[in-house]
Amino acid sequence: MAERQPPERLSPLEPVFHPGSHGNFEHGVDVILTETRPGSILQLAAWPGAEKQLIDAIRKVTGLALPDGAGGGVARDGKAVFGFAPGKFTVVDEAEGLASSFAKAVTPAIGTVTDLSHGRTAIRIAGPKAEWVLAKFFAIDFALPAFPIGAGRSTTHHDIFAQIQRTGADQFDIYVFRSFARSFWKALCHASEEVGYEVQ
């Protein structure tokens, strides 16, 4: 009997994903855009009073220790976690199957685990003008002191809900609904044209 292969994951960006340099890049590119395609994207929510237990479960499963403070987060070794609302966290891993690990660690008394891997698209924007481009979309202070490395924010651009985590000094990972990913990607490319961008 032949071994059954999992279905190939298709990107919603495929028809509009055009690798190479675009826009005003004759003096170089100031923004790099890519789709990161993590294996697992989860949303964890703690019941009132169980937030510390959930944070401890996140540390045990991922090895990532969340800093104190609203919106705090950390990204390291292909894994990331950040708080986006009181008692609610987004957890991302390059590997698949993270939901089953959390299903064992987060009991019904602590909170809930929702696997969003099939319903979100992860887009990375990096480069010296990444903050400048993102400021065209979101009324958020993207400067490092206000938005430190690892921190996350939950916001919208028109009707597109987005969760944003700063994963480097000039790098941000954006998680959007899969059904809006193509539209958001096209808008992001358009907003990056005047500084020159590269799709990788």
Side-chain angles (χ1 to χ4, degrees):
M1 182 180 220
E3 186 178 328
R4 190 170 175 171
Q5 296 293 323
E8 181 185 356
R9 292 190 331 153
L10 300 176
S11 169
L13 303 182
E14 193 172 327
V16 293
F17 191 91
H18 305 295
S21 299
H22 307 275
N24 184 23
F25 65 89
E26 55 192 47
H27 300 294
V29 297
D30 284 324
V31 167
I32 297 170
L33 302 176
T34 191
E35 181 186 10
T36 60
R37 302 183 107 178
S40 301
I41 303 173
L42 308 181
Q43 179 177 301
L44 308 183
W47 302 124
E51 293 86 357
K52 289 190 177 182
Q53 291 172 276
L54 183 60
I55 290 170
D56 190 50
I58 292 169
R59 183 186 53 76
K60 286 177 181 173
V61 172
T62 66
L64 301 176
L66 277 162
D68 289 336
V74 62
R76 187 177 64 244
D77 303 326
K79 300 175 183 177
V81 59
F82 59 94
F84 66 90
K88 294 186 177 181
F89 305 90
T90 294
V91 184
V92 181
D93 196 327
E94 287 180 357
E96 295 183 8
L98 191 64
S100 60
S101 300
F102 271 108
K104 297 170 189 166
V106 180
T107 66
I110 295 173
T112 61
V113 178
T114 306
D115 190 349
L116 302 175
S117 307
H118 63 289
R120 298 289 187 274
T121 297
I123 295 168
R124 175 168 291 163
I125 178 170
K129 290 290 188 180
E131 290 180 12
W132 185 82
V133 170
L134 287 177
K136 291 181 173 185
F137 291 87
F138 308 107
I140 291 175
D141 186 350
F142 286 99
L144 258 172
F147 199 150
I149 294 173
R153 304 288 184 264
S154 180
T155 185
T156 60
H157 170 66
H158 294 293
D159 291 330
I160 300 175
F161 174 72
Q163 292 179 321
I164 306 167
Q165 183 179 30
R166 183 178 219 129
T167 52
D170 60 359
Q171 177 176 287
F172 298 85
D173 289 352
I174 308 164
Y175 303 93
V176 296
F177 287 114
R178 185 178 172 89
S179 54
F180 287 112
R182 192 178 305 171
S183 174
F184 182 75
W185 175 265
K186 288 170 72 176
L188 196 58
C189 290
H190 181 68
S192 304
E193 283 179 352
E194 65 181 295
V195 296
Y197 70 98
E198 184 173 337
V199 174
Q200 294 182 346

